[in-house]
Amino acid sequence: MSLGADRSYKMKLRDVENAFKYRRIPYPKRSVELIALLAISCTFFLFMHTNKLNSRLKEMEVKLQPSEFSALGLTGNHVSGHDAGKHDDINTLHGTYQYLKSTGQILQLNAQDLNNTPKADIDVVFFNRVPKTGSMQLIELMRQLGKVHDYEVEKDPQVGGVLPLLELPEQSDMIENIVNLEDGTVFASHVNFLNFTKNEQPRPIYINMVRDPVERVISWYYYIRAPWIFVPGRRRTNREMPNPKWVNTEYDQCVLSGEKVCTYIEGSLLEHVGDHRRQTLFFCGHDEFKCTPFNSRLALQLAKLNVEREYAVVGTWEHTNETLAVLEAYVPRYFADATKMYYSGLHADKQNDNPMKPHISQDILDMVRRNFTREIEFYQFCRQRLHKQYLALKLNDLKRADKSLARLEAANEMAIKN
Ligand SMILES: *[C@@H]1O[C@H](CO)[C@@H](O)[C@H](O)[C@H]1NC(C)=O
Ligand SMILES: *[C@@H]1O[C@H](CO)[C@@H](O)[C@H](O)[C@H]1NC(C)=O
Ligand SMILES: *[C@@H]1O[C@H](CO)[C@@H](O)[C@H](O)[C@H]1NC(C)=O
């Protein structure tokens, strides 16, 4: 937009310059004055116009606050990891914006192209919630929104955690159950991605949440060691209470002493159901060989593909406002006014929050992060997509605003002519 304005500004300037080049031709004095006046008013108008657009873009940039995570790849086109740790890296909203602007992609961003909701064949939201990403918080929000927008939230009871890899008949059963839910239902379950098309069933609206993968495993580590979690849990399932050493071992110690639960070996398979090191698994599916090897390239690519093709929104509480805005705009039937609802009280009431989580040293975090490269890449991919979806919305607003600027320009030209 500013490019176009710039060009027409330059053209007009050239016209004016040309007019002055030939000033030896004796123009009547009046015309010279008129041209000068025209030039000044044109320049002034265009200056205002470009300025207005620039300040809009600036405003947008200011609002897009940088945060501080590392960078790895945008939509699989690898922007090298060397930028990792830079302040304005590509995974922040601001960084994504800068990147898209520098490559000229920003003007092609289109919310419609990034919207998978129209692909859904049924009015059911399938939230295959990843543990420890704040999914309870989103369920609470949806419960409240459901009262306003007339829908139900069904949470899979699944006592004791996540569903294992499902065999094909089990996948079909679950898919059939979901398809048979009433219109206007959200179904939330800790289960890996399910392919409805493969079962020749109509597709739901897919949504999910993600979190920094290392934060996530640490959160899980302390969650299961919190007495208010394991005591009722073990009572319910009649299991012995754990040994105090297990309860009291800090994550740092666990990593340093090379305990199995805190060692992350590339290509290793699931140790047990609820081995929580693979966030990608929830987006990859139920194929043991393709999806379970830890930190593998194939699982990463399949997970990315499914996010890009299938999911309406994959949000994160690390970008709360963007997630809410994107949910509102891309899944309005279920999320209209989500921001307002969230900030009218829910935001203060964190579900499943664990105050016991201690500070973990940067060395340990770095050590663990080195083994989570692809898991981190997946998380960054989801964030970049969220940023893109958000920017596409903001850009629509800008373009709408620009139309009114174009009308103003036309009116101004009329005024000059008359
Ligand atoms: C789902 O299955 C269909 C049919 O086998 C296949 O064409 C499609 O690629 C699969 N989709 C995903 C996202 O895996
Ligand atoms: C990281 O991976 C390497 C190579 O497989 C392994 O030797 C090391 O123990 C792993 N570190 C952690 C913290 O899992
Ligand atoms: C998110 O939105 C809320 C409510 O509009 C606002 O108070 C808050 O400052 C925003 N947070 C960020 C990080 O922009």
Side-chain angles (χ1 to χ4, degrees):
M1 279 155 299
S2 64
L3 249 178
D6 227 38
R7 198 175 307 130
S8 68
Y9 166 73
K10 280 193 184 125
M11 270 162 57
K12 286 189 187 166
L13 201 65
R14 205 167 48 224
D15 291 347
V16 173
E17 275 167 4
N18 285 343
F20 280 109
K21 246 186 227 158
Y22 304 111
R23 77 179 147 220
R24 252 175 281 146
I25 299 167
Y27 278 112
K29 207 170 173 234
R30 273 277 149 115
S31 311
V32 175
E33 272 169 13
L34 197 70
I35 287 168
L37 201 68
L38 199 92
I40 289 167
S41 74
C42 254
T43 312
F44 183 67
F45 173 75
L46 284 163
F47 173 77
M48 292 296 287
H49 182 150
T50 342
N51 234 21
K52 206 156 176 181
L53 269 178
N54 273 341
S55 68
R56 286 254 171 76
L57 282 169
K58 277 269 158 54
E59 232 171 71
M60 188 159 137
E61 285 175 31
V62 169
K63 279 189 195 141
L64 314 178
Q65 286 303 320
S67 63
E68 57 295 304
F69 282 95
S70 64
L72 285 158
L74 188 78
T75 316
N77 304 325
H78 294 281
V79 174
S80 88
H82 300 308
D83 294 339
K86 257 198 214 160
H87 191 58
D88 203 20
D89 78 59
I90 192 168
N91 299 299
T92 64
L93 179 58
H94 191 253
T96 304
Y97 170 75
Q98 290 295 353
Y99 174 81
L100 293 172
K101 200 169 104 175
S102 71
T103 56
Q105 292 175 64
I106 191 87
L107 296 175
Q108 274 110 56
L109 266 194
N110 183 349
Q112 262 162 0
D113 300 341
L114 299 169
N115 190 358
N116 282 333
T117 305
K119 292 182 184 168
D121 308 302
I122 49 173
D123 180 19
V124 169
V125 169
F126 177 36
F127 176 26
N128 67 313
R129 52 196 288 243
V130 181
K132 306 318 290 171
T133 60
S135 61
M136 267 318 288
Q137 192 83 351
L138 192 63
I139 288 175
E140 264 324 300
L141 176 63
M142 290 191 289
R143 282 189 176 138
Q144 299 203 9
L145 286 168
K147 288 179 203 150
V148 182
H149 303 317
D150 190 27
Y151 65 82
E152 299 289 329
V153 181
E154 270 195 35
K155 184 164 148 282
D156 194 342
Q158 49 189 176
V159 182
V162 303
L163 291 176
L165 294 180
L166 301 178
E167 300 293 336
L168 283 173
E170 295 171 310
Q171 291 179 41
S172 302
D173 284 351
M174 190 158 186
I175 288 173
E176 205 160 305
N177 286 338
I178 296 170
V179 165
N180 287 327
L181 291 168
E182 266 181 54
D183 279 1
T185 305
V186 174
F187 182 72
S189 175
H190 289 306
V191 61
N192 297 347
F193 175 79
L194 289 169
N195 186 342
F196 286 59
T197 333
K198 198 163 81 193
N199 280 263
E200 293 174 346
Q201 295 282 8
R203 264 175 164 141
I205 301 167
Y206 292 90
I207 61 166
N208 217 331
M209 297 292 277
V210 288
R211 179 174 180 184
D212 179 281
V214 174
E215 296 283 327
R216 207 183 135 254
V217 292
I218 294 171
S219 172
W220 180 257
Y221 182 89
Y222 283 103
Y223 178 73
I224 54 171
R225 283 167 182 74
W228 57 92
I229 297 301
F230 72 72
V231 173
R234 293 198 181 215
R235 282 220 180 105
R236 206 166 41 227
T237 50
N238 264 332
R239 280 152 70 212
E240 265 178 53
M241 287 301 141
N243 111 32
K245 183 170 172 294
W246 178 83
V247 177
N248 292 321
T249 303
E250 296 288 355
Y251 185 74
D252 291 51
Q253 275 170 273
C254 179
V255 171
L256 286 176
S257 61
E259 279 184 45
K260 210 167 171 204
V261 288
C262 301
T263 307
Y264 310 97
I265 305 292
E266 192 157 309
S268 59
L269 300 181
L270 273 179
E271 280 170 19
H272 50 84
V273 176
D275 167 6
H276 281 290
R277 55 193 83 193
R278 299 162 188 80
Q279 182 160 241
T280 47
L281 192 51
F282 286 85
F283 300 87
C284 183
H286 296 263
D287 188 316
E288 186 180 359
F289 298 102
K290 289 179 181 163
C291 298
T292 67
F294 174 70
N295 205 43
S296 84
R297 181 160 184 79
L298 183 58
L300 164 70
Q301 298 300 0
L302 290 171
K304 279 184 176 177
L305 196 73
N306 283 346
V307 168
E308 191 130 293
R309 278 204 209 145
E310 306 286 333
Y311 281 80
V313 178
V314 177
T316 166
W317 292 114
E318 277 148 291
H319 301 293
T320 298
N321 290 359
E322 278 172 57
T323 297
L324 294 173
V326 167
L327 282 167
E328 273 186 40
Y330 291 83
V331 197
R333 156 82 177 90
Y334 290 83
F335 289 97
D337 295 322
T339 306
K340 212 162 46 179
M341 181 71 87
Y342 181 75
Y343 282 106
S344 66
L346 263 179
H347 65 294
D349 176 26
K350 293 267 187 296
Q351 300 278 325
N352 262 349
D353 208 17
N354 186 352
M356 298 259 291
K357 216 171 74 186
H359 178 76
I360 293 162
S361 77
Q362 193 59 46
D363 287 355
I364 299 287
L365 289 177
D366 289 346
M367 207 165 138
V368 174
R369 293 188 88 78
R370 276 198 289 277
N371 286 22
F372 271 78
T373 47
R374 296 202 173 103
E375 285 292 328
I376 292 171
E377 180 169 343
F378 175 71
Y379 167 65
Q380 308 294 31
F381 171 85
C382 294
R383 286 170 77 196
Q384 287 162 7
R385 179 167 179 266
L386 183 74
H387 298 326
K388 270 171 82 170
Q389 286 181 310
Y390 181 79
L391 287 168
L393 296 175
K394 292 289 137 192
L395 221 68
N396 274 2
D397 294 348
L398 264 180
K399 281 176 187 161
R400 264 197 298 277
D402 196 36
K403 265 190 208 133
S404 63
L405 277 173
R407 275 200 297 276
L408 206 71
E409 182 170 22
N412 194 56
E413 267 165 22
M414 289 282 286
I416 289 172
K417 271 192 205 133
N418 294 333

